[in-house]
Each structure stands twice: as structure tokens, then as C-alpha cells.
Amino acid sequence: MALTTVRVALRVRPFNEKELKETHQTENLITFVPGQPQQISIDQDRRHFTFDYVYPSHKSQADVYQSCIQPLFDQFVSGYNATILAYGQTGSGKTYSMGTSTTADFSSEHVGIVPRFADNLFRWIKCQPDTSNTQYCVKVSFLELYNEDIIDLLSANNKNAAITIRENANGNITWSGVQEEPIQGAADLLSCLSRGSTARTTASTDMNASSSRSHAIFSVSLTQHMQVAVENNDTIAKTLESKFHFVDLAGSERVLYYYPTSTAKEGISINSGLLALGNVISALGDESRRQQQHIPYRNSKLTRLLQDSLGGNSQTLMLACVSPADTNANETLSTLKYANRAKNITNTVVLNQQ
Ligand code: ADP
């Protein structure tokens, strides 16, 4: 058992054409501190933040994968759970970074985290020495959460999926009733990703909603059955079981809303899942609430599904995505604050071995 904190990476995307037209200042809203690669400042240097990783807009998809995803991959294949949560306003680069869109060109330098992970995983399996007769079993599932409805994107009958969520003795959250597809290679994994992404677009259109308001959880599970040599030329059976959640969260932008009792316009989050996630993050950062185990996981399906990723048995990375433009300054500051709070979470990581 080991304690580890949630890591936070900040990624600033390049200006888009609209921002270049609208903004007078093509300087980054965010300033990178020379000699301090993990620090940034915003608000004309009035506020400073430090993250585990900081990626200015020129950093490539390969740079991001190598520095902050590869360590999680290494843990995953050693039998530990991992989670990446992509957080930020709509258009800030969450889907681009995760590589979960249907239109991704899987051979280009723009290819994102999940396709790189697929390639990495099957190359790794191929390179393993055959000494332990290990059998590898890879499965994927793909869920979308829209408000409190769960859509199973890999199941034909996917609306309002009846999913049961339980916690086992290892502190792992298990989901039953979810369609899991066995995967034989990287191409297979990508075809499930693409099938689910298409279903996500269709489901959003059917519900007359934008997919930027829903959360997507693409999960890969790896089971390694092996025979380990012990004394007297004997062998014992050992199984490692780990899972990796890739979570593309709903757009974090707040909407302007008139409260019935007030004439003032207030910015509120329209997404109950994100609100619940924020409350869980705050509670986990508060020592006394954590000790009393007053963590409101049950307030939303998102936080219940991801309970072990936050304060539980997982190595977790929050990838906070922001726009470089001053026209998005409020949303960017709110993303930085949200991500900053996530740094206070400690997870308890256990090797999933039987
Ligand atoms: P989100 O998922 O947060 O709504 P997207 O990932 O769809 O945002 O990004 C919005 C647009 O910006 C897309 O056209 C995407 O290709 C582009 N984009 C985002 N991040 C980058 C980046 N780091 N480099 C190049 N283009 C990017």
C-alpha cells in the first residue's frame, strides 16, 4: 500500500482563428516563469500557480504522452489502477489531448493519448519475455454520462444502462452490467473507441443536446495470468488485474443565470456531475472531513463511478486544459483554481494481485 497525490498537468492550447481575430493581445494570457517549468502566472502576474506538469502551446502530443502518461502506463502494466481526468471549458483541448474524437487521424502527429496508449500497450505485451507463460486479457468499455443517465456506448441497447456500482475489499469500485469488449490488438481497441464516439454523437443528437455537456469514460482493463517460479522448480499462479480510466469531462464553463430572487446575473456550473466532482475534491482536500469519511461520492453517478480514482485505489492525473486568449480569462482562472484544489488529494494505491 502506498500513498500518492493526485498529479495535475496544465495544457495551454494554441490560439484559434476566432481568438486571433477577437483578441488584441496575442501574447499568452498565461505567463511561463523562466527557469521554473512547473509554474505559471496569470492576471498580469498577480496570481501564481504550480502544477506537476505545465505544457505551453508548442508542446506536442508526443511530449505530453512521454512525460505525464508514460509513468501511469508503467504503473498500469505493473498491476496498479490509473485514471486521467481531462477538465476545462468547451474548446480548450480536452478531446484533442485525449484523442477520443471520431475524426482523429490515428497516424498523424496530432494523435492523442488513448491511441498512443493502445499502441504502447500492445507493443509492450509483444515484447514481454515468455518465461512466465503469461496470458494477457485486455477489455474495454465506454460510458457516457448525461445528467444522471448512463449511456453504454458499446452496447446496442445503450440508453439508461442499468449499472450496479460496488466497492470490493481492495477499495476497487466495480461496475456490473457494463458491456466489455475483449480486445486483441491496437486496431481493435481503436475501432471500439471510434464506434463508441460515433454512438456518443448520435445519442447527443437524439437527446437534442451537446456532447460537450456530457462526460465520457473510456476504460481499459488488463488481466495478466502468470505462472511464477518458486523454490524446488515449482510454480505458483499469480494474477494481476488493473484498469485505466480515460475521462473526458463535460465543458466546465458556467452559464449566466438570473436567480429568481435576484436581478444579478451569476455564473453557475450547469453540470451537476462537475459540481459534485468539485465538492468531492474539496472534501478530500479537507483533513477533518476526510478523517470522518464525509466525502459526498453518492451525490452523483460520476463521482460514484470514479470513487476509487479520487481518494482511493488509483494513480490519478488531472489534465487541465485552457485557452491562451484573454477573452477566456474568467474560465481559465476558474480551471486553474479547480485544478489547484485537486493537488490536495491523496490516494492510497494497492497492487491488484491475487
Ligand atoms: P474540448 O474537447 O475541450 O471541447 P477540443 O479538444 O475539441 O476541445 O479542441 C477544440 C479545437 O482546438 C479542436 O479543433 C482541436 O483540434 C484544437 N486544439 C485543441 N488543443 C490543441 C493543441 N494543443 N494543438 C492543436 N490544436 C488543438
Side-chain angles (χ1 to χ4, degrees), residues 11-15 19 23 25-32 40-45 55-58 322-327 332:
R11 188 172 199 192
V12 185
R13 69 152 164 74
F15 282 95
E19 288 165 344
T23 188
Q25 166 205 342
T26 50
E27 290 284 307
N28 258 319
L29 165 74
I30 289 175
T31 320
F32 301 93
I40 57 114
S41 58
I42 182 172
D43 221 1
Q44 291 161 347
D45 274 0
Y55 302 106
S57 58
H58 66 271
V322 295
S323 146
D326 52 5
T327 45
T332 295

Side-chain angles (χ1 to χ4, degrees), residues 11-16 56-61 64 87-98 100-101 110 212 248-249 251 253 321-322:
R11 188 172 199 192
V12 185
R13 69 152 164 74
F15 282 95
N16 62 30
S57 58
H58 66 271
K59 290 287 183 185
S60 67
Q61 297 279 62
V64 172
Y87 181 88
Q89 74 180 113
T90 300
S92 58
K94 299 181 295 298
T95 308
Y96 175 86
S97 298
M98 293 297 253
T100 44
S101 103
H110 292 289
S212 67
D248 191 350
L249 291 167
E253 56 276 6
C321 298
V322 295

Side-chain angles (χ1 to χ4, degrees), residues 9-12 32 37-40 51-56 59:
L10 173 71
R11 188 172 199 192
V12 185
F32 301 93
Q38 290 163 283
Q39 269 190 34
I40 57 114
F51 296 110
D52 297 288
Y53 310 90
V54 169
Y55 302 106
K59 290 287 183 185

